[in-house]
Amino acid sequence: MKRRTFVQNSIMATLGASVTTAGALGFTEENRIKKNSGKHKFNLKYAPHDGMFKHNAGGDIISQLEYMADQGFTAFEDNGMSGRPVNVQEAIAKTMQDLGMEMGVFVAHKIYWTEPNLTSGDQGKREEFLADIKKSVDVAKRVNAKWVTVVPGYKDFRKEPGYQTAHVVESLKQAAGILEPHGIVMVLEPLNYMNHPGLFLEKSAQAFEICKAVNSPSCKILYDIYHQQITEGNLIPNIEASWDEIAYFQVGDNPGRNEPTTGEINYKNVFKYIYDKGFQGVVGMEHGNSRPNGEGELAVIEAYKTVDDFL
């Protein structure tokens, strides 16, 4: 066989193998770009959670992630990630990486809903908390997470607020020392008194004060707009006042804690505000669906398209 003929045949064989391989993978790079170009492009990184689209996507978490990405969502959050088996965590991380999705928060520790832990200053409770924080580092690395949620727990009604705050700050300083070398940020979530009565951390100004006292890049605020609408309202001014310490947002309309457009909060204005401020983090969709089944899931997607249409 002549050299020229051999080279041509080799090139054709290589191209054929490449096409076959691309076909086996399900897409070529060109097809992937075309597919992605047809997705809705949101202005902010809204993060659905497991089960939000289960009727349209199926119950399997990997299928749900693929469905989320197909709808244009570029992030995902999962409060219970640390409780998933390691192989599932790894599969989620691989899928998200392939889909170009960013990991949002997961809960970093055992939350005490009805008895004091960090507020009490009890050394055993503090050591338990710090052990959980150390474990969360491994999970965060496994799933490529930058943020982990921390809730300081229940008030200690036998202690003055100042003593409680000092105990919480000391625990968080020690936790920050664990997280800082890994570039992981614990985000403190103030929760409202109606859904979670008796918890220590309720308001954005309180979280701001604590973050300033801890004074670490690994201790910031998770500003949950639903909770703060109930606790204090005045959303945009309070976001502005605590902006330097906010690293993460979560969403839910009020009343009902469902998708935006179902309650009283003007989410289009709030989202435009944080977008104009240059927020580039994740906005967690930590709410329910106002309508059942697949139809309600589609309504959630349309609601986010509506409130994201602020440019």
Side-chain angles (χ1 to χ4, degrees), residues 251-281:
V251 171
D253 217 335
N254 182 62
R257 200 174 188 178
N258 290 314
E259 71 269 17
T261 73
T262 59
E264 65 187 357
I265 302 174
N266 188 336
Y267 267 109
K268 183 178 286 191
N269 277 5
V270 175
F271 287 157
K272 182 180 188 303
Y273 177 79
I274 67 174
Y275 177 88
D276 288 344
K277 289 282 287 183
F279 184 72
Q280 296 182 351

Side-chain angles (χ1 to χ4, degrees), residues 41-307:
K41 183 169 177 56
F42 289 103
N43 294 307
L44 293 169
K45 299 175 186 175
Y46 304 110
H49 55 77
D50 185 11
M52 181 165 271
F53 303 123
K54 63 183 179 182
H55 292 97
N56 282 292
D60 176 70
I61 185 61
I62 302 303
S63 298
Q64 290 185 48
L65 287 168
E66 292 170 344
Y67 181 83
M68 292 170 192
D70 284 344
Q71 308 314 307
F73 294 108
T74 55
F76 170 71
E77 71 173 24
D78 183 31
N79 283 339
M81 179 66 80
S82 61
R84 294 184 184 274
V86 170
N87 65 315
V88 176
Q89 294 174 2
E90 291 172 341
I92 289 172
K94 174 67 165 56
T95 301
M96 291 181 67
Q97 185 176 24
D98 292 344
L99 295 170
M101 297 180 74
E102 189 169 354
M103 183 65 208
V105 292
F106 64 89
V107 176
H109 64 105
K110 176 184 177 181
I111 299 176
Y112 280 76
W113 299 105
T114 58
E115 65 175 291
N117 62 320
L118 299 189
T119 57
S120 69
D122 180 87
Q123 187 59 30
K125 290 286 198 299
R126 178 176 290 163
E127 289 174 0
E128 177 190 60
F129 168 70
L130 295 174
D132 284 348
I133 293 297
K134 288 176 183 176
K135 291 176 185 175
S136 75
V137 170
D138 294 333
V139 178
K141 287 184 173 182
R142 199 173 294 128
V143 299
N144 302 312
K146 301 175 186 175
W147 309 278
V148 296
T149 302
V150 166
V151 176
Y154 204 65
K155 293 175 184 175
D156 190 335
F157 291 102
R158 293 180 174 85
K159 289 183 173 62
E160 289 286 337
Y163 297 127
Q164 295 182 64
T165 298
H167 292 321
V168 168
V169 167
E170 179 57 33
S171 292
L172 296 178
K173 282 183 176 180
Q174 294 186 33
I178 295 168
L179 297 170
E180 279 182 21
H182 307 284
I184 299 168
V185 182
M186 59 180 165
V187 284
L188 312 181
E189 183 177 11
L191 301 174
N192 80 74
Y193 57 87
M194 292 181 65
N195 295 126
H196 305 289
L199 290 192
F200 169 75
L201 187 59
E202 294 180 337
K203 295 188 176 182
S204 53
Q206 183 188 10
F208 183 83
E209 180 183 25
I210 289 170
C211 286
K212 290 300 184 186
V214 175
N215 191 28
S216 167
S218 285
C219 183
K220 296 295 178 182
I221 298 171
L222 190 172
Y223 192 101
D224 188 310
I225 297 168
Y226 164 75
H227 286 298
Q228 293 317 302
Q229 172 67 2
I230 294 171
T231 301
E232 60 192 14
N234 204 30
L235 294 171
I236 289 176
N238 278 315
I239 292 171
E240 170 67 25
S242 51
W243 183 259
D244 291 347
E245 299 297 334
I246 295 174
Y248 199 99
F249 285 93
Q250 284 181 331
V251 171
D253 217 335
N254 182 62
R257 200 174 188 178
N258 290 314
E259 71 269 17
T261 73
T262 59
E264 65 187 357
I265 302 174
N266 188 336
Y267 267 109
K268 183 178 286 191
N269 277 5
V270 175
F271 287 157
K272 182 180 188 303
Y273 177 79
I274 67 174
Y275 177 88
D276 288 344
K277 289 282 287 183
F279 184 72
Q280 296 182 351
V282 169
V283 179
M285 297 160 60
E286 196 188 33
H287 57 73
N289 298 355
S290 64
R291 293 157 56 186
N293 303 327
E295 198 174 292
E297 295 172 359
L298 297 178
V300 170
I301 297 168
E302 290 306 310
Y304 276 89
K305 289 179 181 178
T306 297
V307 294

